[in-house]
Amino acid sequence: MKKLMSFVGALLLAFFDPVYVWLTNWMHRQGLMLAASSFPNGTIFSIGSAYGAAKVISDISNANPGVASSTAHGFTDGDILVLTSGWPMLNGAVIRVDGAVDDAFDIEGFDASNTTLFPDGGGAGTAREVTSWVSLSQVTNVATSGGEQQFYQWQYLEEKTQRQRPTFKNARSMTLTVDYDPDMPWHAALLAADQLGTPHAIRATLPNGDVILYHMYVAYDGEPSFTINQNQQVTVSLSYDNPRSQRYSAAP
């Protein structure tokens, strides 16, 4: 009887486990999961390797989401753009287009309604579409650093406790460790980005299909490690241009 029960249990697990995984991912995409945790296993990083011509943005509305005015921009919903803007929090952001019409488009997920942070008339700039991506394979580790809040501290003579006031957050960076292979397309793409010395769009596609977009400087010399009995590896150092990433749900 115990063997039979074990067999039945294993059979049920084999059937329901993939169903549970599929259902959980579907609920994530639909926004039905109130709280969840996940492993990053399966995430694919990519670097933007080609960009379209810059299109002028004459204004961005103080709305949620902000609406960019751009005559005959040619963008369609789902396009990924790199923006410049007079608003520092939007300058260098990588965003997704939504609600595109002939001369305007929504900056999906960007709330520009606070006129203190986003002064009226100050958001003008440019938009460039990321037209091609190169995936980074053989990534064995991703390390992040920075973002820690710093403080100015002082104490008054008549007080026994110290006071503090927030000042700035440390610059953020990310380091990818990759198994070395100079024949992979990413090797040439990373070398080119390093030599240009300009920030590039970086995309992390998560296992559930969501994407996180960054604008980063790339440091990569392509020189492999020589540690005995270990795979030769290279490191890709990425430093944030715009200090905030933008996450989007999987495209429907």
Side-chain angles (χ1 to χ4, degrees), residues 231-245:
N231 289 349
Q232 286 192 292
Q233 295 184 316
V234 286
T235 57
V236 184
S237 297
L238 305 171
S239 55
Y240 287 56
D241 174 38
N242 185 290
R244 293 189 178 276
S245 61

Side-chain angles (χ1 to χ4, degrees), residues 116-140:
T116 300
L117 297 175
F118 309 106
D120 183 28
T126 63
R128 288 197 305 156
E129 182 186 358
V130 184
T131 57
S132 181
W133 298 87
V134 174
S135 297
L136 310 184
S137 60
Q138 303 181 175
V139 177
T140 63

